[in-house]
Amino acid sequence: MLREIRDNGSVYEVSRLEHLSEFNLTWLSMTLAQRDAIEAEINQLLDNLVDSPNPNWGSITNTSLEGGKPNPETGEPGNWTGTPFGPIFEACGENAERAGMFFGNAWKKVIIDRPEEWIGIRFDPTFPKRGITLMGKTYFRSS
């Protein structure tokens, strides 16, 4: 389950992706095996966070940080070739910006369907002292 926090601090439940039909144009262009692999990878990463939360932060993730991690095969950040996320880049016409936004929505889709309660928020700026805003959303597990 997912709840999101608006800029004004109000909280609302998210039961499905906004712009689902637009998301599905890209999502359904991938094979079922590719979609299953993407969901399995996201679930595994989230399971790891739930099972071993950071002692200072708990179970927390940011889609910009996740998507920008170096590819274990190529060493390139944001290039998911050879990983379960590779089909996203291909389905988005190898457009890194579009692939990054889709990547964030794929995470959101999986989080919505999980049994735990997660909270999603996008801070603007994400790091106020540095004036940096991450394009991705930050998700953390509610108690």
Side-chain angles (χ1 to χ4, degrees):
M1 178 171 72
L2 175 62
R3 296 184 189 282
E4 290 194 346
I5 301 173
R6 291 186 176 103
D7 291 341
N8 67 6
S10 65
V11 179
Y12 63 99
E13 187 172 330
V14 178
S15 59
R16 68 183 195 101
L17 290 176
E18 295 176 35
H19 314 290
L20 183 60
S21 58
E22 183 180 328
F23 174 85
N24 279 337
L25 287 173
T26 302
W27 186 243
L28 298 176
S29 74
M30 293 180 253
T31 68
L32 178 59
Q34 290 170 327
R35 297 189 310 261
D36 286 349
I38 291 166
E39 288 183 338
E41 184 71 10
I42 294 169
N43 272 309
Q44 181 62 53
L45 292 167
L46 291 170
D47 287 344
N48 292 344
L49 286 173
V50 169
D51 293 342
S52 300
N54 180 298
N56 295 322
W57 295 97
S59 298
I60 189 167
T61 187
N62 179 281
T63 57
S64 288
L65 296 176
E66 285 297 327
K69 286 183 178 175
N71 179 330
E73 299 210 6
T74 66
E76 296 177 56
N79 175 351
W80 307 310
T81 303
T83 75
F85 301 126
I88 292 174
F89 191 64
E90 295 165 18
C92 291
E94 299 187 0
N95 178 307
E97 186 175 337
R98 185 169 173 242
M101 289 188 291
F102 187 87
F103 178 84
N105 278 316
W107 274 77
K108 186 174 186 174
K109 177 188 180 309
V110 171
I111 288 172
I112 289 169
D113 293 335
R114 288 188 57 97
E116 317 86 28
E117 182 175 316
W118 290 82
I119 306 292
I121 190 166
R122 178 176 289 120
F123 295 102
D124 190 11
T126 311
F127 300 105
K129 290 184 180 181
R130 295 183 180 172
I132 298 171
T133 296
L134 297 176
M135 293 302 296
K137 190 164 278 185
T138 298
Y139 294 99
F140 59 93
R141 186 163 173 222
S142 174
S143 51

